[in-house]
């Protein structure tokens, strides 16, 4: 059975062809008219078989998902409509789809992400289902199940009561501002989640889209990494991989320009997030004055002036009270943001520093700062390269 969109397209094609035939009949004699009708008939027949074969291919792809190892629970579209009360309670919406809250028959709360404009089963969808469906860690969002039915693509996640990190760190409301201990724990949680992906899985998983929108918070503000649609799996003994550019401008490491990357691109993105959490502002912020628009440039300037305390989030009194400790963590962020990816730490080393089991002295001299302040924000915003840039979630 055809989808409604296919029927409409097919009917429109026939109508156009018939109109063309009528116009042609008034111009050419009967022989050419019959010849044209025959050709148009072949085109219509070809379109019919093309649409039917595409639908059959789509059904084969969908059936193939059931036979893939490590796949989570598969839901029908009707089941997810019932679970979410026809997707009525929306938690958010972006360029890639909408997220609705639902309740499973067991009573468990879930978040159902309905992907838009996906079409037949594609690599991004399968990658997300396979990747997060086969890994389990407290600091990674659990994938409960999925739906691949006709042209509907949905992912069912555990429900995270406090939403995404960006809602909290970029909020200028003093009452909703996170205190220093919560922010410190969130940063450590992200580091632990990335350590698991990079070092503790059977195959190394590079997330490739680490940003505040993809860090979710539960009711206790435990942070969990989510959204594996752009992730890349590589063998543990593989040092680097060549891939198309993917990610979000503002969080992408400089080596993306060569398209040869390692897990250190996630370390760089993590460093950006750490600065954003500590400063309470976005890395690239168009609302700021021109000289302050890029946080990395501002960070380098404030370090040279000996005024890093000026960057501590002013919307939180508690952050101001702990400003000295906050500045120390800024140095760890700088360690992760070096242009030369080989000089960036592993995420497991970052975790050890945060937990106090390893002491690292980071001397942020002028040469070091020159290594962390490339003009990558403007570069990625204006360079046109083959890419899979992430949109809003």
């Amino acid at each position: 059975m055809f989808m409604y969109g296919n029927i409409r397209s097919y009917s429109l094609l026939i109508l156009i062809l018939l109109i063309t035939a009528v116009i042609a009949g008034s111009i050419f004699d009967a022989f050419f008219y019959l010849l044209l009708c025959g050709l148009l008939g072949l085109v219509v027949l070809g379109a019919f078989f093309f649409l039917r074969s595409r639908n059959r291919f789509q059904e084969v792809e969908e059936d193939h998902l059931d036979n893939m190892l490590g796949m989570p629970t598969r839901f029908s579209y009707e089941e997810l409509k019932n679970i979410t009360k026809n997707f009525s309670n929306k938690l958010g919406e972006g360029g890639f789809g909408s997220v609705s809250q639902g309740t499973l028959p067991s009573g468990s709360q879930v978040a159902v992400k309905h992907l838009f404009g996906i079409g037949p089963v594609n690599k991004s969808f399968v990658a997300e289902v396979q990747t997060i469906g086969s890994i389990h860690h407290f600091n990674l969002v659990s994938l409960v199940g999925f739906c691949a039915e006709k042209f509907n693509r949905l992912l069912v996640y555990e429900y995270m009561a406090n939403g995404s990190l960006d809602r909290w760190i970029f909020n200028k409301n003093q009452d909703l501002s996170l205190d220093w201990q919560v922010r410190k724990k969130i940063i450590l949680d992200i580091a632990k989640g990335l350590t698991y992906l990079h070092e503790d899985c059977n195959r190394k998983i590079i997330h490739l889209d680490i940003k505040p929108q993809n860090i979710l918070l539960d009711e206790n503000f435990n942070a969990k990494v989510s959204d594996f649609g752009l992730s890349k799996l590589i063998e543990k003994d593989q040092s680097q991989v060549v891939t198309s550019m993917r990610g979000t401008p503002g969080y992408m490491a400089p080596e993306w320009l060569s398209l040869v990357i390692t897990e250190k691109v996630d370390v760089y993105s993590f460093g950006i997030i750490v600065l954003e959490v500590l400063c309470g502002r976005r890395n690239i912020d168009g609302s700021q004055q021109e000289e302050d628009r890029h946080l990395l440039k501002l960070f380098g300037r404030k370090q040279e002036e000996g005024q890093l305390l000026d960057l501590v989030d002013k919307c939180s009194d508690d952050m101001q009270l702990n400003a000295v400790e906050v500045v120390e963590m800024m140095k760890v962020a700088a360690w992760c943001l070096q242009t030369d990816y080989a000089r960036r730490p592993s995420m497991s080393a970052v975790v050890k520093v945060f937990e106090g089991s390893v002491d690292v002295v980071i001397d942020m001299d002028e040469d070091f700062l020159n290594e962390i302040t490339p003009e990558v924000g403007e570069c990625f915003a204006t360079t046109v390269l083959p890419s899979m840039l992430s949109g809003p979630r």
Side-chain angles (χ1 to χ4, degrees), residues 191-192 194-196 198-200 267 345-355 357-358:
K192 287 180 176 179
L194 289 176
T195 297
Y196 177 81
H198 294 173
E199 302 178 23
D200 298 333
V267 178
S346 65
M347 289 309 308
S348 59
V350 172
V351 170
K352 290 175 182 176
V353 170
F354 286 157
E355 291 181 333
S357 58
V358 172

Side-chain angles (χ1 to χ4, degrees), residues 84 86-93 97-101 114 116:
T84 59
N86 200 23
F87 310 103
S88 58
N89 186 9
K90 289 219 176 142
L91 300 173
E93 188 165 1
S98 63
V99 181
S100 304
Q101 185 176 351
H114 195 168
F116 296 156

Side-chain angles (χ1 to χ4, degrees), residues 163-196:
S164 56
L165 178 60
D166 61 303
R167 292 169 52 187
W168 296 90
I169 60 175
F170 302 138
N171 195 315
K172 301 305 179 184
N173 187 335
Q174 178 78 246
D175 295 333
L176 297 177
S177 180
L178 302 178
D179 64 32
W180 167 230
Q181 291 301 322
V182 171
R183 297 193 202 203
K184 189 161 58 171
K185 184 182 183 306
I186 287 172
I187 290 170
L188 177 59
D189 285 346
I190 301 169
K192 287 180 176 179
L194 289 176
T195 297
Y196 177 81

Side-chain angles (χ1 to χ4, degrees), residues 140-158:
L140 303 179
V141 171
S142 297
L143 183 66
V144 177
F146 71 103
C147 171
E149 185 178 302
K150 303 291 184 190
F151 281 83
N152 293 308
R153 301 286 172 265
L154 301 99
L155 297 167
V156 184
Y157 294 102
E158 63 174 313

Side-chain angles (χ1 to χ4, degrees), residues 206-233:
I206 312 177
H207 187 282
L208 299 178
D209 199 20
I210 295 297
K211 59 182 178 181
Q213 293 89 337
N214 289 340
I215 306 300
L216 303 184
L217 306 172
D218 68 11
E219 65 276 10
N220 297 315
F221 286 95
N222 295 304
K224 305 192 180 191
V225 178
S226 73
D227 212 319
F228 289 76
L230 300 184
S231 63
K232 188 81 174 177
L233 279 68

Side-chain angles (χ1 to χ4, degrees), residues 313-327:
D313 190 355
K314 296 179 176 60
C315 291
S316 168
D317 292 339
D318 189 62
M319 290 291 286
Q320 290 294 315
L321 288 172
N322 294 278
V324 173
E325 193 177 351
V326 173
V327 168

